Amino acid sequence: MTSSSIRRATPASYAIVFVLALVALGPILVMLTTSLKLKTQIFGEGASFFFMPTLQNYDAVLSDGQNVRYLTNSLIVACVSTILTLGFGCTAAYAIVRFRFLGRDVASTATLLMRMVPPAVLTVPVFTIWTYQYGLNNTLTGVILVYTGLNLPFVIWILQSFLVQVPRQLEEAARMDGANPYQIFFMVVLPLIKPGLAAAAIFTFRIAWNEFILGLVLTNRFTRTMPVKVSLFINEHNIEWGQIMAVGALIAIPPLVFTFMASRQIITGMTAGAVKG
Amino acid sequence: MQLSDGFEGKLMPAGATAGAAVPTPLRGTAKYLPLRKALNRAAPYVFIAPAAIITTLALAYPMLQSVWLSFRDWSLGTPLGQSRFVGLANYEWLLHDPNFWASAAVTLTFAFAVVVVEVLLGVMLAILLDRELRFVSLFRTIFILPMMVAPIVVGLVWRYMYNEQFGTFAHLLKALGFAPVPWLSSPKLALISVIIADVWQWTPFIFILSLAALQSLPASALEAARIDGATHWQMVWHIKVPLMMPVIAVAALLRLIDAFKVLEVIYILTEGGPGLSTEIMSLHIYKTAFVSQQLGQAAALSNMLLLIVLALTVIFAALTAVRQRREKLAAARR
């Protein structure tokens, strides 16, 4: 694109961008400030932007052993399923992109179809099968299994668009040097798609960390994840808004941190499927 | 391609004939041990097997089970063995259940409303902001933040902000001298409030995709239009928007499919109420299964939702195929 075809920014465009940024950040800031307020400040008259921040809500949330357990559960589920999904997903994506084999078309169509399945559709059969056949109800393993399944099509979809861009000549050259397909994949191809893996990892972690409905159906009071706990919090009569917002912030922070660390990869991952087609 | 081909043959040819171009001496099989050769030949299957097994266990089999369950009468709490086969009774019940139609209407209204609003807003903003902005990457990072927040947390925050006594909007309206608005407690407003929260979270998705599309448009077309003396808005309307259309269509369809998945935000904001005014199908499935405890009926409902999403997915796939063919044609013409 020639630079002359992009128009210069005017003060007005900066104003628009600034307002948009405020709108995007607003609710997140509301959550953070509320989590730092005392009950009396939350219910007080008028929106007060000037207040003495307190960590009392976080203290109350984190000194409750249950909450710590649920946060730990969330962390285990999200990390393990992210690792499994990436490991299985990258090899599958490579097979679909680079090989011709029996069932390749089925695999590629199934990936697209399964990416679209709403989690709510899975609640009834997954609850049934996990309870009556796999014996995995109320276990973290059960949650990890369903999250890995749910995320795999998504990861395969993202990684395909990165794998297509790997120059085939590199693989050919490695093969000439006597490398077998496994060596080619792990030593030549995998290092080249690191940005794709980063994007896929963030997407997977985010979905597993944030997921709620399947977690609600599959866990009990020992194996609950944090999003499930929050939903039970909110339907109590005396809602402790300060504490709820503190929990909300605790759930929101890991994905937000990832976003700041790797926004380039996230945007590439997001645009990969749609813009390049 | 046949299975008996060696690994060399199975690597997809780069060009149409590259497969045949592999130098024959390398095909010499003598240096391969039989086992190794078999392993190499099985490579694609080894690569795909773990993912295939997991998705079969965790996705494909449950979806088949869902079909089977939808033909049975089974309530939560009784053993699965006591359920009985009822044929199409669950589906028949669904079609005669006003609650099902109400929730279908809510789902369609919600899905199309969010997609239309998000696409219009997102594309407009992208066109407006397709300029040489400073700090572009910082702003882009800020815009993707809402998408990264857990839907359940989005629900919490918006429920707080919508609170009629001490919520953010209540304070704002009061400061400006307006009467309080029953955001979530009025059946008429609740759906709109829910839509606003979704628009907040997902407009950036369309915006970022559209901006990426705008900035990767072929310079030649824009240059030609400029030489022909097109004004800025003529270029936007007659060249940029049509060229962006494929990306907009794909992004809109992805959003539409995702809109049918929405559950958490609404679960937290309104739990489907007041009445059934925000009870989208995902939530209706959950309630039928785990509140009314009718698992067979819930399975039937699930399959209906799945059918809708499947239809949209087929459209999506067709759209992508058409696009790829067109791009190939364009590449061949060049």
Side-chain angles (χ1 to χ4, degrees):
Chain A
M1 181 138 208
T2 50
S3 57
S4 62
S5 65
I6 299 183
R7 296 193 307 155
R8 282 277 173 83
T10 59
S13 37
Y14 280 108
I16 298 170
V17 174
F18 190 74
V19 169
L20 287 177
L22 259 180
V23 171
L25 281 177
I28 298 171
L29 292 178
V30 165
M31 172 175 72
L32 292 177
T33 52
T34 310
S35 75
L36 298 171
K37 280 181 183 174
L38 293 171
K39 209 171 180 177
T40 47
Q41 292 166 327
I42 294 171
F43 296 109
E45 283 292 300
S48 47
F49 290 107
F50 305 101
F51 62 97
M52 266 307 282
T54 166
L55 287 174
Q56 215 175 324
N57 293 316
Y58 290 90
D59 197 41
V61 167
L62 290 175
S63 61
D64 182 346
Q66 265 198 335
N67 289 331
V68 177
R69 160 175 276 189
Y70 299 153
L71 274 174
T72 317
N73 287 345
S74 276
L75 205 62
I76 294 172
V77 165
C79 289
V80 175
S81 69
T82 302
I83 293 167
L84 292 178
T85 314
L86 274 192
F88 299 160
C90 65
T91 54
Y94 184 62
I96 292 175
V97 167
R98 276 294 194 263
F99 291 92
R100 286 200 181 171
F101 60 95
L102 212 67
R104 174 178 174 268
D105 293 337
V106 176
S108 135
T109 313
T111 306
L112 176 67
L113 289 183
M114 291 191 294
R115 199 192 98 80
M116 310 299 187
V117 175
V121 163
L122 290 173
T123 50
V124 174
V126 162
F127 169 79
T128 311
I129 295 170
W130 267 233
T131 307
Y132 290 93
Q133 293 174 14
Y134 296 168
L136 287 174
N137 55 322
N138 300 334
T139 66
L140 291 183
T141 315
V143 182
I144 290 169
L145 175 62
V146 74
Y147 287 1
T148 307
L150 207 62
N151 272 325
L152 265 173
F154 202 71
V155 160
I156 294 174
W157 201 64
I158 293 184
L159 287 182
Q160 275 181 350
S161 56
F162 284 91
L163 282 164
V164 172
Q165 291 167 27
V166 173
R168 207 181 295 261
Q169 291 87 330
L170 285 177
E171 289 161 73
E172 298 277 339
R175 195 152 49 81
M176 301 277 190
D177 290 343
N180 67 39
Y182 305 97
Q183 288 167 328
I184 293 176
F185 177 67
F186 286 106
M187 296 164 80
V188 178
V189 176
L190 212 50
L192 288 174
I193 56 160
K194 270 186 200 154
L197 289 173
I202 292 170
F203 276 98
T204 320
F205 181 89
R206 190 201 76 176
I207 294 175
W209 174 263
N210 291 350
E211 207 283 335
F212 159 72
I213 193 70
L214 288 161
L216 178 66
V217 169
L218 286 178
T219 58
N220 61 12
R221 63 199 171 88
F222 300 111
T223 50
R224 243 167 233 159
T225 54
M226 210 57 200
V228 176
K229 162 75 184 185
V230 174
S231 73
L232 303 172
F233 230 134
I234 192 119
N235 291 322
E236 292 164 4
H237 277 291
N238 268 320
I239 299 180
E240 287 279 353
W241 276 108
Q243 288 187 24
I244 282 215
M245 289 303 175
V247 176
L250 287 174
I251 298 177
I253 283 167
L256 293 186
V257 169
F258 282 138
T259 313
F260 274 106
M261 275 165 41
S263 61
R264 271 245 316 277
Q265 278 85 347
I266 294 174
I267 290 169
T268 330
M270 218 164 58
T271 45
V275 178
K276 287 174 201 135
Chain B
M1 184 159 289
Q2 285 146 10
L3 281 176
S4 56
D5 280 2
F7 163 66
E8 290 88 348
K10 268 190 255 159
L11 248 185
M12 268 202 263
T17 55
V22 175
T24 30
L26 269 176
R27 285 219 159 146
T29 47
K31 61 178 179 177
Y32 284 101
L33 296 168
L35 180 69
R36 248 175 132 186
K37 208 179 149 197
L39 246 174
N40 286 354
R41 203 177 282 168
Y45 300 99
V46 176
F47 278 141
I48 209 159
I53 292 168
I54 297 276
T55 46
T56 306
L57 285 177
L59 285 179
Y61 176 52
M63 285 195 280
L64 284 178
Q65 177 86 353
S66 177
V67 174
W68 183 77
L69 277 173
S70 71
F71 297 128
R72 305 188 76 82
D73 178 22
W74 179 37
S75 62
L76 192 70
T78 62
L80 179 56
Q82 279 180 24
S83 67
R84 48 188 191 93
F85 178 80
V86 290
L88 289 171
N90 287 328
Y91 291 94
E92 215 182 297
W93 166 81
L94 263 190
L95 297 179
H96 291 106
D97 181 26
N99 291 350
F100 165 71
W101 292 108
S103 111
V106 170
T107 311
L108 291 176
T109 317
F110 173 81
F112 284 98
V114 297
V115 171
V116 168
V117 174
E118 285 165 16
V119 167
L120 284 180
L121 269 179
V123 172
M124 253 167 48
L125 291 173
I127 289 171
L128 214 57
L129 296 174
D130 177 27
R131 293 160 182 266
E132 258 179 296
L133 277 176
R134 287 221 227 153
F135 313 115
V136 143
S137 63
L138 173 68
F139 283 121
R140 258 201 304 222
T141 306
I142 290 175
F143 293 149
I144 50 179
L145 290 180
M147 288 181 254
M148 303 304 278
V149 176
I152 212 97
V153 175
V154 172
L156 290 177
V157 177
W158 282 85
R159 178 151 164 186
Y160 174 79
M161 294 201 301
Y162 280 139
N163 188 293
E164 282 171 52
Q165 280 122 47
F166 52 83
T168 312
F169 296 127
H171 283 316
L172 275 176
L173 288 172
K174 203 174 169 193
L176 295 171
F178 289 105
V181 174
W183 295 105
L184 298 174
S185 55
S186 142
K188 277 183 196 150
L189 268 182
L191 189 58
I192 295 174
S193 304
V194 163
I195 289 171
I196 292 174
D198 193 88
V199 167
W200 170 75
Q201 200 181 10
W202 287 105
T203 304
F205 177 75
I206 305 276
F207 169 70
I208 285 173
L209 286 190
S210 309
L211 198 59
L214 264 177
Q215 300 190 335
S216 61
L217 292 183
S220 56
L222 302 178
E223 207 55 48
R226 202 195 326 280
I227 289 167
D228 287 346
T231 65
H232 174 66
W233 286 109
Q234 279 174 334
M235 285 202 5
V236 166
W237 196 241
H238 295 288
I239 298 179
K240 289 186 176 178
V241 170
L243 283 174
M244 280 165 77
M245 229 33 196
V247 174
I248 298 176
V250 167
L253 214 48
L254 278 178
R255 271 309 297 142
L256 190 61
I257 289 166
D258 279 350
F260 284 93
K261 293 186 186 175
V262 168
L263 182 147
E264 286 95 338
V265 176
I266 298 182
Y267 180 85
I268 294 290
L269 275 180
T270 63
E271 267 193 281
L276 291 175
S277 59
T278 55
E279 181 140 322
I280 57 167
M281 268 168 88
S282 288
L283 195 55
H284 196 52
I285 292 172
Y286 172 76
K287 282 188 174 174
T288 309
F290 298 97
V291 180
S292 319
Q293 314 206 331
Q294 294 302 317
L295 291 173
Q297 294 177 352
L301 252 172
S302 304
N303 295 338
M304 302 292 248
L305 180 58
L306 200 57
L307 270 183
I308 299 176
V309 175
L310 198 70
L312 290 173
T313 309
V314 170
I315 299 176
F316 175 84
L319 208 73
T320 317
V322 167
R323 230 180 106 194
Q324 275 167 353
R325 193 180 307 158
R326 204 182 288 165
E327 264 160 27
K328 254 182 212 158
L329 277 178
R333 225 176 282 143
R334 254 178 250 142

